[in-house]
Amino acid sequence: MTDTTRDFLAITDLSREDLLGLLDLAERVKDQTRAGVCPQPLAGRTVGLIFHKPSLRTRTSFEVGVGQLGGRSMFITDREIKLGERESIADAARVLSRYLGMIVIRTFHQKDIEELAEYADIPVINALTDLLHPCQVFCDLMTVKEKLGRVEGIKVAYFGDGNNMARSWINAAKLLNIDLWIATAPDTHPGVEFMTNAMTGAAGGVTVTDDASAAAKDADVLYTDVWASMGEKDKAKEHAAMLERMQLNQARVDEAGRDCIVMHCLPAERGREITDEVMDGPHSVVFDQAENRLHGQKALMIWCQNQH
Ligand code: CP
Ligand code: NVA
């Protein structure tokens, strides 16, 4: 980034005020898009989408979003650039900054994204690493606000693997007054060191438990994600055995608040971490949630360009 632009590598790159302001901006951008008018802050710019892992939602919503903001997108796989192998990440960042107006990157290691951002003169957006998925949680907060009318003073129950999604929710609880419960197994814990760092001076609270019912009790949001993430599908069987009791099923919905919403970042492995009954049930907002990836990320790109 430069003095006038910003990176978005983690939810904690934002202050509470930034985050609440960005949620308002996302709402306005969604209304404008639906009314057929859209700001064009990316006119004349090309956004590079570097993806080292598969994607349906993130790639599509960013490509469409860039177009709606007046820019062009270029999809770049690791086959071409071999980030950090053909040349250093720093040199790749310096070169890409001469062509592109922004980089959106999905890869394995958070430190690679941080290095890219350090040497790039253009904004860098984290489109998922093994550690975090901040775009998803930002857009999910937009959906929570739409459905519940607030993002603070709520209980969020997350069921399953203590992965990039769980850690991004922990970061959200650092900024916002959220009572976050993570129902997981001891070996799929999101990481004691990560939690200790994240929760120092946090606005919200995090409880990690192996009691799925306690997590669900009176919750406003029930959230789950796959039990084995991209890049660790070899752990699928082992995780399934450990996380069986953390399935998001009707029993959990019955224990939650009467007006609770059910969320899943998708893709879902139906019948594993979530049942069909719940995913297709009256509390589920998963497809509205997927739509908001488009609107929320447009707000994030505008914020990174510092043009709001
Ligand atoms: N939720 C999400 O990021 O989906 P994709 O992996 O399909 O982009
Ligand atoms: N935890 C999942 C999220 C997918 C959007 C993964 O990293 O594969």
Side-chain angles (χ1 to χ4, degrees):
M1 63 177 172
T2 63
D3 289 349
T4 54
T5 62
R6 302 157 170 144
D7 300 317
F8 182 66
L9 309 186
I11 287 279
T12 44
D13 286 347
L14 306 171
S15 65
R16 174 178 174 274
E17 288 64 36
D18 285 337
L19 178 51
L20 296 177
L22 255 172
L23 289 171
D24 289 343
L25 175 65
E27 212 173 303
R28 284 201 302 279
V29 167
K30 183 169 180 175
D31 289 344
Q32 286 169 337
T33 306
R34 290 193 161 170
V37 285
C38 205
Q40 304 279 293
L42 295 180
R45 293 175 206 264
T46 302
V47 175
L49 302 175
I50 304 175
F51 276 58
H52 298 166
K53 292 179 178 179
S55 172
L56 185 154
R57 280 144 289 273
T58 309
R59 176 187 174 178
T60 315
S61 55
F62 265 109
E63 290 220 23
V64 171
V66 168
Q68 290 179 353
L69 294 178
R72 295 167 60 121
S73 59
M74 173 184 277
F75 186 67
I76 307 168
T77 71
D78 202 35
R79 259 206 320 266
E80 281 83 43
I81 58 170
K82 297 203 180 302
L83 200 64
E85 273 179 54
R86 273 187 89 223
E87 60 200 304
S88 70
I89 292 178
D91 284 349
R94 292 179 180 114
V95 173
L96 289 171
S97 300
R98 304 291 177 108
Y99 308 137
L100 299 171
M102 189 179 292
I103 294 172
V104 174
I105 176 166
R106 166 170 288 196
T107 192
F108 296 87
H109 306 297
Q110 183 77 11
K111 69 171 179 40
D112 290 353
I113 289 196
E114 284 166 3
E115 195 177 340
L116 189 76
E118 185 184 342
Y119 291 97
D121 294 333
I122 53 177
V124 174
I125 295 182
N126 180 356
L128 181 147
T129 60
D130 293 348
L131 190 77
L132 299 172
H133 195 3
C135 289
Q136 179 74 53
V137 166
F138 171 71
C139 298
D140 291 346
L141 287 168
M142 180 184 173
T143 306
V144 169
K145 190 176 168 209
E146 260 179 25
K147 302 293 177 188
L148 302 180
R150 65 198 194 284
V151 289
E152 293 195 281
I154 56 169
K155 177 176 178 180
V156 176
Y158 175 95
F159 301 89
D161 190 20
N163 59 14
N164 43 14
M165 285 309 313
R167 283 187 289 267
S168 294
W169 272 106
I170 292 170
N171 278 347
K174 182 179 175 81
L175 296 189
L176 300 177
N177 175 20
I178 289 175
D179 181 19
L180 175 65
W181 287 62
I182 298 178
T184 193
D187 288 345
T188 51
H189 190 285
V192 174
E193 196 185 330
F194 178 89
M195 272 192 55
T196 309
N197 288 339
M199 296 322 288
T200 307
V206 183
T207 307
V208 180
T209 178
D210 62 358
D211 184 345
S213 291
K217 189 173 180 332
D218 299 328
D220 300 294
V221 177
L222 302 175
Y223 201 108
T224 192
D225 182 19
V226 288
W227 287 341
S229 287
M230 292 178 276
E232 54 168 40
K233 291 294 178 194
D234 55 318
K235 293 189 189 153
K237 225 171 146 184
E238 185 192 339
H239 278 197
M242 289 191 285
L243 295 171
E244 203 179 1
R245 286 181 302 118
M246 308 306 162
Q247 186 187 59
L248 180 42
N249 54 32
Q250 193 57 42
R252 302 290 86 80
V253 175
D254 292 343
E255 289 158 348
R258 211 185 46 182
D259 299 322
C260 72
I261 56 172
V262 168
M263 303 183 82
H264 191 312
C265 56
L266 305 181
E269 294 194 20
R270 286 167 175 261
R272 283 204 158 209
E273 75 276 3
I274 190 166
T275 58
D276 283 333
E277 184 184 20
V278 169
M279 184 146 153
D280 300 326
H283 295 272
S284 174
V285 299
V286 299
F287 298 111
D288 290 342
Q289 181 186 355
E291 177 185 336
N292 279 341
R293 297 295 303 282
L294 171 64
H295 308 296
Q297 286 160 188
K298 280 162 65 181
L300 282 173
M301 288 190 279
I302 294 169
W303 181 80
C304 287
Q305 284 292 122
N306 204 4
Q307 293 202 356
H308 54 296

